[in-house]
């Protein structure tokens, strides 16, 4: 669908300040500071603060192309409205873990929101070794609530379909379909990896069992409409401190399989698990337990107390569903682990390892776990994944 961009105008530091003043969200008489702080690929992020009070707001603006790739990959501006609407939806179900949206403008592709600069992006915090004693419980609760409240177990099915219509997000889904579910699994398609990983990459491409399972996972991503997902729930989309957690960057939101959000968060904890040793590694295992335990407990509580389905008390239904979420999640996590290693978008967790041998070893382990999760997802649970990581009993690619 083509979009009319005639009213779109890219903000500058100056026009961002003027805009904030006009909205009355910042003291127009104060001395103000404005800085573009976006580190993502797709958008500009302006941080406007009152110099004296340090009180701030954030203006995020989408541009009609991927910022880094340039104008060759056009992208709908509608994603800004999707992001603002998704944040508003998620906040209504889970107020403590989502930033406040103050204003949004679909034509200008702008979302004005709460300034979270007192928190740190979790990927950076984990790399720095910061403790996050509540993070995984918070994210477990966040996923349980957003997954349950936006599903057919809470919304009337026709109302759910109406919500889903507003979150049809084909262009952003395409990014996931190409970069997570397709390119990393074919030698002839675009990729990016260190030459020392060539054999490990070939082991994935040549493993027809992996490729078949990825085809099934991709199909699930493309066709299932279980709940409104965040769609990009990695540790770079989460701001946190020891006590507070906020999930940002919801532009990939769409109706999809619940396991996708669960799997992305799980995979991004696993990057840390492979790079750490000793107590630091144990800490990540604790995160994995806390995340999954909290998710299952919170989802079960919602199921038992707020489920509108006539089938809610049928013995075995909830365990069936929780097992499905977990199976899907491990599969999706496996795809994320592989694409961040040999696909086009890497993660700092692995790339910050300076020593080449250690870095290649960590990336090789990541690929092995990825394939292991994809192939074995039917029979895995968190303890089994942790065991495999601890004992290096990843049974595939033993020749690597
Ligand atoms: P993109 O979609 O382009 O990746 P993000 O929403 O992830 O954009 O934002 C990019 C960066 O901008 C974040 O990593 C963070 O540093 C900063 N940022 C985004 N939203 C906020 C906010 N509400 N408060 C403070 N900083 C923010
Ligand atoms: Mg983004």
């Amino acid at each position: 669908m083509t979009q009319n961009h005639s009213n779109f105008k890219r903000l500058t530091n100056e026009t961002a300040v003027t805009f904030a003043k006009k909205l009355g969200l910042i003291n127009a008489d104060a001395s103000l500071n404005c800085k573009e702080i976006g580190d993502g690929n797709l958008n500009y992020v302006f941080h406007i603060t009152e110099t004296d009070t340090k009180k701030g707001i954030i203006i995020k603006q989408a541009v009609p192309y991927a910022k880094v790739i340039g104008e060759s990959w056009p992208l709908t501006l509608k994603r800004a409205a999707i992001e603002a609407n998704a944040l508003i939806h998620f906040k209504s179900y889970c107020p403590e873990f989502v930033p406040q949206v103050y204003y949004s403008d679909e034509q200008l592709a702008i979302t004005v929101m709460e300034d979270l600069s007192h928190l740190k992006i979790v990927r950076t915090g984990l790399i720095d070794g910061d403790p996050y004693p509540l993070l995984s419980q918070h994210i477990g609760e966040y996923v349980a609530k957003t997954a349950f409240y936006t599903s057919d177990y809470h919304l009337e099915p026709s109302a759910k379909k109406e919500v889903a219509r507003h979150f049809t997000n084909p262009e952003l889904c395409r990014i996931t379909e190409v970069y997570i579910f397709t390119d990393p699994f074919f030698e002839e398609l675009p990729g990016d990896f260190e030459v020392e990983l060539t054999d490990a990459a070939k082991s994935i491409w040549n493993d027809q069992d992996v490729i078949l399972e990825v085809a099934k996972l991709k199909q699930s991503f493309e066709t299932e409409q279980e709940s409104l997902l965040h769609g990009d729930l990695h540790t770079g989309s989460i701001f946190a401190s020891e006590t507070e957690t906020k999930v940002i960057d919801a532009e990939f939101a769409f109706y999809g399989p619940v396991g996708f959000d669960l799997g992305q968060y799980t995979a991004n904890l696993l990057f840390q698990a492979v790079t750490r040793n000793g107590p630091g590694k144990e800490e990540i295992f604790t995160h994995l337990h806390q995340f999954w335990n909290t998710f299952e407990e919170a989802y079960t509580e919602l199921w038992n107390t707020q489920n509108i389905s006539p089938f809610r008390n049928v013995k075995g239904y909830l365990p069936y569903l929780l097992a499905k979420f977990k199976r899907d999640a491990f599969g999706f996590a496996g795809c994320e682990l592989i694409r961040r290693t040999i696909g086009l978008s890497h993660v700092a967790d692995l790339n910050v390892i300076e020593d080449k041998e250690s870095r290649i070893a960590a990336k090789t382990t990541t690929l092995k776990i990825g394939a292991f999760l994809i192939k074995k997802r039917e029979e895995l649970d968190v303890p089994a994944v942790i065991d495999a990581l601890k004992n290096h009993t990843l049974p595939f690619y033993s020749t690597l």
Side-chain angles (χ1 to χ4, degrees):
M1 195 169 60
T2 52
Q3 220 188 344
N4 180 1
H5 292 153
S6 56
N7 292 325
F8 177 78
K9 217 169 163 29
R10 238 193 75 193
L11 290 178
T12 61
N13 283 353
E14 289 69 36
T15 54
V17 167
T18 311
F19 195 73
K21 283 183 180 169
K22 208 167 81 190
L23 290 174
L25 289 169
I26 199 112
N27 181 357
D29 302 324
S31 146
L32 299 175
N33 189 32
C34 179
K35 213 169 147 204
E36 203 279 312
I37 56 167
D39 56 3
N41 297 334
L42 309 179
N43 308 288
Y44 289 86
V45 178
F46 297 91
H47 183 206
I48 302 172
T49 44
E50 296 177 8
T51 318
D52 292 342
T53 62
K54 302 283 178 257
K55 185 175 160 287
I57 57 161
I58 293 290
I59 303 183
K60 178 168 173 178
Q61 184 177 42
V63 287
Y65 47 84
K67 198 169 99 182
V68 167
I69 309 171
E71 309 214 4
S72 60
W73 185 299
L75 265 186
T76 174
L77 290 177
K78 194 171 167 247
R79 69 185 191 278
I82 287 187
E83 167 153 13
N85 285 334
L87 289 174
I88 290 165
H89 260 73
F90 294 145
K91 192 165 182 75
S92 75
Y93 297 127
C94 221
E96 60 276 51
F97 305 135
V98 182
Q100 179 83 44
V101 171
Y102 300 127
Y103 177 85
S104 67
D105 182 315
E106 188 159 355
Q107 297 293 321
L108 288 174
I110 275 172
T111 305
V112 185
M113 70 184 118
E114 184 181 346
D115 178 13
L116 301 170
S117 305
H118 62 292
L119 305 174
K120 194 166 173 180
I121 290 288
V122 167
R123 189 183 305 288
T124 314
L126 288 174
I127 292 170
D128 294 345
D130 295 352
Y132 287 112
L134 297 176
L135 170 72
S136 289
Q137 291 163 54
H138 288 169
I139 299 297
E141 188 183 331
Y142 164 89
V143 180
K145 286 184 172 167
T146 55
F148 180 82
Y149 283 125
T150 61
S151 74
D152 294 286
Y153 304 116
H154 179 68
L155 301 174
E156 288 292 344
S158 52
K160 188 202 90 168
K161 288 179 184 65
E162 191 55 31
V163 179
R165 206 166 62 79
H166 292 285
F167 288 100
T168 308
N169 199 354
E171 290 186 36
L172 282 282
C173 284
R174 182 176 158 236
I175 294 179
T176 305
E177 286 149 11
V178 171
Y179 290 123
I180 299 188
F181 291 114
T182 310
D183 284 1
F185 298 97
F186 293 91
E187 183 164 12
E188 63 276 19
L189 294 180
D192 177 19
F193 53 86
E194 301 184 65
V195 64
E196 291 82 358
L197 288 172
T198 306
D199 286 347
K202 278 189 197 296
S203 301
I204 305 249
W205 299 326
N206 293 334
D207 187 333
Q208 289 310 304
D209 293 337
V210 169
I211 305 303
L212 172 61
E213 294 311 313
V214 172
K216 295 179 192 171
L217 289 159
K218 185 179 180 193
Q219 182 199 14
S220 153
F221 180 86
E222 288 167 341
T223 59
E224 293 191 49
Q225 297 212 328
E226 288 176 338
S227 293
L228 181 61
L229 306 188
H230 178 280
D232 200 20
L233 192 59
H234 56 78
T235 46
S237 298
I238 305 170
F239 263 119
S241 67
E242 288 195 24
T243 54
E244 215 184 328
T245 304
K246 302 277 183 195
V247 178
I248 62 162
D249 199 11
E251 68 193 330
F252 283 74
F254 78 112
Y255 259 80
V258 170
F260 189 72
D261 278 355
L262 291 165
Q264 285 223 309
Y265 184 69
T266 301
N268 282 270
L269 287 177
L270 289 172
F271 291 124
Q272 280 298 309
V274 298
T275 60
R276 293 180 180 205
N277 293 306
K281 205 181 191 74
E282 291 297 327
E283 222 174 275
I284 298 299
F285 294 154
T286 304
H287 274 283
L288 285 168
H289 280 300
Q290 286 175 337
F291 173 58
W292 278 95
N293 289 341
T294 310
F295 168 73
E296 292 192 350
E297 278 164 23
Y299 195 91
T300 300
E301 167 77 17
L302 294 166
W303 179 280
N304 289 334
T305 56
Q306 303 197 44
N307 193 332
I308 62 165
S309 165
F311 291 89
R312 64 186 172 275
N313 293 323
V314 174
K315 194 164 176 286
Y317 191 15
L318 176 62
Y320 154 81
L321 198 64
L322 292 175
K324 179 202 181 288
F325 290 161
K326 193 183 286 175
R327 179 174 73 230
D328 291 351
F330 285 139
F332 292 134
C335 297
E336 169 78 354
L337 289 167
I338 292 171
R339 76 99 172 203
R340 297 288 198 177
T341 315
I342 58 175
L344 285 182
S345 172
H346 291 184
V347 283
D349 309 62
L350 297 171
N351 279 350
V352 292
I353 305 173
E354 277 180 22
D355 175 62
K356 186 161 195 169
E357 208 173 306
S358 314
R359 191 174 64 248
I360 297 297
K363 289 187 176 181
T364 304
T365 306
T366 304
L367 288 172
K368 283 191 198 181
I369 310 168
F372 174 68
L373 292 180
I374 289 169
K375 292 208 286 195
K376 291 282 172 185
R377 65 188 189 284
E378 290 274 352
E379 59 206 62
L380 288 177
D381 55 14
V382 172
V385 174
I386 291 174
D387 264 2
L389 266 169
K390 265 189 185 160
N391 305 321
H392 294 285
T393 52
L394 295 163
F396 304 103
Y397 314 124
S398 52
T399 52
L400 288 181

